[in-house]
């Protein structure tokens, strides 16, 4: 039986269920769960826009205004710049947990296929996920705290969802180019099983492949 990977990477656009799947998989395997969003916050707390401008590419004083002021291609470009700038910190966390720290599930949309493909680290498996846009839109619409106070609430929601769709399309192309697994989630109940199968992990928590 092949040992489980010490580090599992789960990427995907915002709102696609990464955190939910990662927490469930972490409980299943008794792994720590780490978010690249938290790594980004930590990195920005000890850096500055003057020193590392790309790290702050989509950080705004008012997120509502930010989405309304930028078109979807600009939102996507800002996100990619920020993710690439954060990669050295992400890579360090992966390397430490793969070598000696506790096994971990690392999730977040800052995990980019090309960067992950450059890792020369054993005991690491990765997968990217997508979910239909309709549930994401419904979730945002029901979260009044997200858009409350926006000049044009519907525009803000449309721009956020538009960036998610654009990022997901970009990921589909990148995962295909880098021969990385990309999974379409059907529903919340089956999502952990779908991701586990893509990673080569059996329902009993053992590895079924040498990926």
């Amino acid at each position: 039986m092949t040992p489980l990977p010490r580090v599992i990477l789960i990427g995907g656009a915002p709102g696609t269920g990464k955190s939910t799947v990662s927490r469930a998989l972490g409980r299943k395997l008794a792994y720590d769960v780490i978010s690249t969003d938290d790594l980004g916050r930590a990195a920005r707390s000890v850096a500055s826009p003057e020193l590392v401008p790309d790290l702050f590419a989509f950080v705004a004083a008012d997120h509502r205004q930010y989405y309304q002021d930028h078109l979807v291609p600009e939102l996507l470009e800002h996100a990619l710049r920020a993710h690439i700038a954060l990669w050295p910190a992400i890579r360090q966390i992966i390397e430490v947990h793969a070598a000696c720290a506790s096994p971990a599930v690392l999730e977040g949309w800052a995990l980019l296929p090309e960067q992950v493909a450059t890792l020369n680290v054993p005991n690491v498996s990765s997968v990217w996920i997508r979910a239909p846009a309709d549930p994401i839109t419904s979730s945002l619409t029901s979260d009044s705290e997200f858009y409350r106070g926006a000049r044009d609430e519907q525009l803000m929601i449309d721009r956020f969802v538009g960036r998610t769709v654009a990022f997901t399309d970009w990921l589909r192309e990148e995962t295909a180019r880098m021969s990385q697994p990309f999974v379409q989630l059907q529903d919340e109940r089956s999502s952990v099983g779908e991701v586990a199968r893509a990673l080569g992990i059996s329902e009993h928590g053992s590895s079924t492949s040498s990926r």
Side-chain angles (χ1 to χ4, degrees):
M1 183 180 296
T2 305
L4 285 168
R6 288 185 57 82
V7 179
I8 294 170
L9 309 177
I10 300 179
T16 52
K18 298 182 304 301
S19 298
T20 300
V21 170
S22 297
R23 286 193 293 266
L25 191 60
R27 288 193 298 270
K28 182 184 183 71
L29 302 177
Y31 277 26
D32 292 343
V33 179
I34 304 168
S35 169
T36 63
D37 287 348
D38 290 338
L39 296 182
R41 294 185 188 97
R44 288 189 292 274
S45 74
V46 294
S48 70
E50 292 75 28
L51 289 176
V52 195
D54 283 352
L55 193 60
F56 295 81
F58 65 87
V59 176
D62 187 338
H63 71 280
R64 295 172 294 266
Q65 196 64 39
Y66 171 72
Y67 287 109
Q68 294 173 97
D69 286 348
H70 295 88
L71 299 175
V72 168
E74 295 174 311
L75 297 173
L76 177 60
E77 188 263 337
H78 294 170
L80 292 175
R81 281 169 45 204
H83 298 338
I84 291 169
L86 184 62
W87 173 246
I90 296 172
R91 183 180 59 214
Q92 177 69 19
I93 293 297
I94 294 171
E95 291 174 348
V96 168
H97 282 270
C100 57
S102 56
V105 178
L106 178 60
E107 64 87 12
W109 69 311
L111 293 168
L112 304 182
E114 184 171 4
Q115 278 68 40
V116 170
T118 65
L119 286 169
N120 186 23
V121 181
N123 303 319
V124 178
S125 290
S126 57
V127 64
W128 283 262
I129 64 176
R130 65 164 295 180
D134 289 347
I136 297 171
T137 303
S138 298
S139 176
L140 285 175
T141 302
S142 64
D143 182 10
S144 61
E145 288 301 315
F146 175 73
Y147 58 77
R148 180 176 295 155
R151 181 181 68 253
D152 186 332
E153 296 175 354
Q154 190 58 54
L155 175 62
M156 180 185 170
I157 293 171
D158 290 346
R159 291 272 172 85
F160 183 96
V161 174
R163 183 186 65 179
T164 290
V165 171
F167 187 73
T168 298
D169 289 344
W170 180 86
L171 278 180
R172 184 191 298 110
E173 295 177 359
E174 286 294 293
T175 51
R177 186 172 69 87
M178 307 305 302
S179 300
Q180 300 278 13
F182 185 75
V183 177
Q184 168 71 62
L185 300 185
Q186 302 302 322
D187 58 63
E188 189 171 325
R189 289 179 299 175
S190 65
S191 59
V192 176
E194 293 175 69
V195 168
R197 283 190 293 275
L199 290 163
I201 298 172
S202 75
E203 60 180 298
H204 304 295
S206 58
S207 180
T208 60
S209 74
S210 59
R211 178 186 294 128

